């Protein structure tokens, strides 16, 4: 602004003339001694420096705009990926129907059973003031279901994998199937309706109970979760007994 | 004399503008180059609920129970509100005097045998009652041109979460900034370890 002021009449015109003279540093025509020379030098430096910085600012913005952080974003459409990648877009494997055990594992993770019963049902999470100390582990649920040998364990898993609940009437090849069926119905009820937890210290805080999942899990979800839990059983237990 | 003084004022103004621009620019370049978290007053860094990793990890909960994508997916993910709801119950404990009380949150805060083991602060109770997802802010985030897979590092390379996220067991406040225990800037935090572990440092392994 200041350096582009028009050469008007009077003082302004004279100032601009003397300014130009200083700028061209002609010692022969020294300007009026009333004009402060250091101020003019600063003015020149300001204009030149400002111009340079503006130039560099433009360069910086351009450099930023060309950095991968910016331009890769615009190459993210499927079309540009295909253009950039000689192998073409990745071929996704065909999604296969998950088996009940896989589905049960997904339900277990997404419903959040693991926050209490541990990842892979291994337990060990503390329940404050709970009679048993920690939330029950679930990777030994086969024993709780009275599946007493490896064959019954395999038969139960097979039935659940086919979508048949263990309290069904048909013969599933499980040793003492009626008893197993009763226990199975019990576990299903606990999962659907929840179960209160006993306090260790009657005057202390209330320990966290097993919440009910009836409005969040379907019958299939519960059956598949139990199939998943049975599949977690360490089969060594059966070998030792034999 | 008055005229020259007023001219001096203009000179300073003209000089000050580029200096100020250069200053801001330098700060921006420095913060980008060093990865140092310069103050960003315009960004709200508070989390909606005062979640404490320390209190929950003291119960021996595992990271992947809540961040259940860490072993199998690209993103570790943050737990949905329903996870919190299964412990932070709003119904009063059975057998307590407060069981009949309709204002369960107030009863839960009353203490003694009326109290659940997991106290529910009112700001959390509000989300649980409304059944809304808690709008957590996520600070640990790789830029969009970088591919980072948790599964690759956690399940395949068997790295402990603490290598990259520090000791969460001692974090009693919610996460409010991206942190990396080695304090290396930007890309170096990845490349440094890849060089040490003799893993690929091919640009296209990480950039796409």
């Amino acid at each position: 602004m200041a350096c582009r002021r028009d050469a008007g009449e009077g003082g302004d015109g004279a100032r601009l003339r003397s300014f130009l003279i200083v700028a061209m540093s002609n010692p022969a025509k020294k300007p009026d001694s009333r004009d402060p020379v250091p101020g003019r030098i600063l003015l020149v430096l300001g204009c030149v420096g400002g111009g340079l910085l503006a130039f560099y600012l433009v360069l910086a913005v351009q450099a930023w705009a060309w950095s991968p952080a910016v331009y890769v974003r615009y190459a993210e459409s499927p079309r540009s990926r295909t253009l950039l990648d000689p192998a073409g877009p990745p071929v996704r494997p065909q999604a296969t129907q998950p088996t009940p055990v896989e589905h049960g594992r997904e339900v277990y993770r997404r419903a959040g059973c693991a926050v209490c019963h541990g990842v892979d049902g291994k337990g060990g999470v503390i329940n404050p003031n709970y009679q048993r100390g920690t939330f029950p582990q679930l990777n030994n649920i086969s024993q709780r279901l009275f599946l007493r040998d490896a064959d019954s364990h395999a038969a139960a898993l097979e039935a659940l994998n086919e979508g048949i609940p263990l309290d069904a009437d048909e013969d599933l090849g499980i040793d003492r199937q009626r008893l197993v069926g009763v226990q199975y119905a019990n576990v299903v009820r606990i999962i659907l309706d929840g179960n209160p937890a006993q306090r260790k210290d009657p005057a202390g805080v209330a320990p966290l109970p097993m919440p009910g999942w009836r409005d969040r899990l379907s019958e299939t979800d519960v059956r598949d979760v139990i199939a998943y839990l049975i599949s977690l059983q360490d089969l060594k237990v059966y070998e030792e007994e034999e | 004399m008055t005229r020259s003084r007023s001219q001096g004022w203009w000179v300073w103004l003209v000089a000050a503008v580029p200096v100020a621009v250069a200053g801001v620019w330098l700060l921006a370049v420095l913060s980008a180059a060093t990865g140092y978290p310069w103050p960003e007053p315009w960004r709200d860094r508070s989390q909606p609920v005062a979640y404490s990793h320390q209190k929950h990890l003291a119960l021996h909960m595992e990271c992947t129970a809540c961040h259940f994508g860490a072993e199998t997916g690209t993103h570790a993910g943050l737990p949905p509100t329903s996870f919190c709801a299964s412990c932070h119950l709003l119904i009063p404990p059975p057998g307590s005097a407060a069981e009949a009380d309709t204002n369960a949150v107030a009863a839960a805060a009353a203490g003694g045998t009326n109290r659940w083991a997991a106290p529910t602060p009112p700001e959390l109770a509000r989300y649980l009652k409304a059944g809304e997802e808690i709008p957590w802010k996520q600070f640990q985030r790789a830029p969009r041109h970088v591919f980072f897979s948790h599964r690759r590092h956690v399940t395949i390379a068997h790295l402990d979460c603490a290598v990259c996220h520090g000791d969460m067991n001692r974090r009693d406040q919610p996460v409010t900034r991206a942190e990396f225990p080695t304090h290396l800037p930007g890309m170096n935090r990845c490349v440094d370890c890849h060089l040490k572990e003799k893993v690929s440092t091919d640009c296209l392994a990480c950039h796409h």
Side-chain angles (χ1 to χ4, degrees):
Chain A
M1 270 264 286
C3 42
R4 283 194 58 231
R5 186 125 20 108
D6 280 1
E9 317 97 73
D12 267 7
R15 252 201 293 148
L16 184 74
R17 235 173 291 129
S18 53
F19 164 74
L20 285 174
I21 288 163
V22 172
M24 293 154 82
S25 60
N26 189 338
K29 283 191 178 180
K30 246 198 167 282
D32 198 329
S33 61
R34 274 181 306 163
D35 288 302
V37 176
R40 298 228 182 88
I41 292 175
L42 270 178
L43 188 68
V44 175
L45 286 179
C47 287
V48 171
L52 272 179
L53 277 169
F55 179 59
Y56 279 125
L57 201 68
V58 170
L59 278 189
V61 168
Q62 205 179 20
W64 175 78
W66 275 93
S67 84
V70 176
Y71 71 76
V72 174
R73 187 183 312 162
Y74 299 113
E76 250 183 4
S77 70
R79 194 177 124 78
S80 59
R81 276 233 190 96
T82 316
L83 287 176
L84 289 172
D85 184 1
V91 182
R92 284 189 161 269
Q94 207 73 48
T96 49
Q97 191 73 19
T99 66
V101 169
E102 283 164 4
H103 177 240
R105 180 168 187 275
E106 227 20 54
V107 171
Y108 187 85
R109 274 154 34 100
R110 291 187 184 277
C113 313
V115 294
C116 291
H117 294 290
V119 173
D120 298 335
K122 63 176 161 323
V125 179
I126 294 169
N127 190 357
N129 198 26
Y130 180 44
Q131 200 181 27
R132 288 194 259 169
T134 58
F135 290 102
Q137 74 188 105
L138 295 182
N139 58 6
N140 59 358
I141 200 170
S142 293
Q143 279 144 302
R144 195 190 187 290
L145 290 174
F146 294 149
L147 296 168
R148 309 224 292 184
D149 52 55
D151 289 342
S152 299
H153 177 270
L157 205 51
E158 198 187 317
L160 289 171
N161 255 331
E162 280 163 20
I164 307 166
L166 299 187
D167 54 356
D169 286 333
E170 55 193 290
D171 182 21
L172 302 171
I174 299 173
D175 187 24
R176 300 211 222 167
Q177 190 183 329
R178 261 183 53 80
L179 191 59
V180 172
V182 170
Q183 286 295 62
Y184 173 85
N186 232 331
V187 167
V188 169
R189 187 193 51 75
I190 289 179
I191 295 176
L192 286 179
D193 297 331
N195 212 23
Q198 294 297 318
R199 291 178 208 222
K200 191 191 280 169
D201 169 13
V205 293
L208 301 168
M210 165 76 179
W213 300 84
R214 191 176 284 285
D215 46 354
R216 285 172 280 181
L217 297 183
S218 71
E219 220 163 276
T220 323
D221 288 341
V222 174
R223 197 177 61 220
D224 290 352
V225 156
I226 295 176
Y228 165 65
L229 294 174
I230 291 177
S231 79
L232 294 173
Q233 175 67 49
D234 186 359
L235 292 177
K236 279 207 201 84
V237 180
Y238 297 125
E239 286 165 19
E240 279 159 19
E241 277 174 12
E242 274 157 23
Chain B
M1 266 301 136
T2 39
R3 255 171 61 191
S4 65
R5 212 181 282 148
S6 79
Q7 193 188 34
W9 183 80
W10 271 103
V11 167
W12 285 116
L13 190 71
V14 169
V17 169
V19 167
V21 168
V24 171
W25 178 54
L26 202 69
L27 203 68
V29 167
L30 272 180
S31 72
T34 59
Y36 183 81
W38 291 92
E40 294 175 77
W42 58 84
R43 187 167 165 195
D44 180 13
R45 292 180 164 272
S46 61
Q47 293 279 19
V49 175
Y51 173 77
S52 148
H53 272 85
Q54 186 200 33
K55 278 186 181 165
H56 293 87
L57 294 174
L59 303 171
H60 302 308
M61 290 162 80
E62 281 153 288
C63 311
T64 47
C66 283
H67 302 293
F68 57 80
E71 278 174 334
T72 51
T74 312
H75 296 287
L78 297 178
T81 307
S82 64
F83 280 34
C84 319
S86 52
C87 290
H88 291 275
L89 302 135
L90 295 172
I91 38 167
S96 71
E99 201 178 359
D101 195 332
T102 42
N103 191 352
V105 180
T113 48
N114 289 353
R115 226 184 75 207
W116 284 114
T120 306
E123 76 270 16
L124 175 59
R126 203 164 43 239
Y127 288 110
L128 297 185
K129 255 196 282 187
E132 283 170 15
E133 285 304 320
I134 303 173
W136 302 114
K137 297 191 187 75
Q138 189 190 323
F139 294 99
Q140 208 87 41
R141 183 167 274 159
R144 290 179 64 176
H145 55 84
V146 173
F147 174 75
F148 176 83
S149 156
H150 270 93
R151 181 177 165 271
R152 193 79 189 230
H153 291 89
V154 174
T155 310
I156 299 180
H158 298 294
L159 290 174
D160 191 36
C161 314
V163 174
C164 297
H165 295 301
D167 188 2
M168 301 301 282
N169 290 302
R170 278 187 280 146
R171 193 187 277 279
D172 62 353
Q173 292 296 316
V175 180
T176 55
R177 65 162 51 133
E179 277 171 54
F180 209 68
T182 53
H183 298 299
L184 288 167
M187 197 169 108
N188 293 4
R189 61 182 59 156
C190 319
V191 174
D192 190 56
C193 172
H194 277 211
L195 286 174
K196 246 187 272 169
E197 303 271 338
K198 303 201 168 49
V199 186
S200 163
T201 47
D202 178 4
C203 313
L204 289 181
C206 302
H207 293 285
H208 59 126

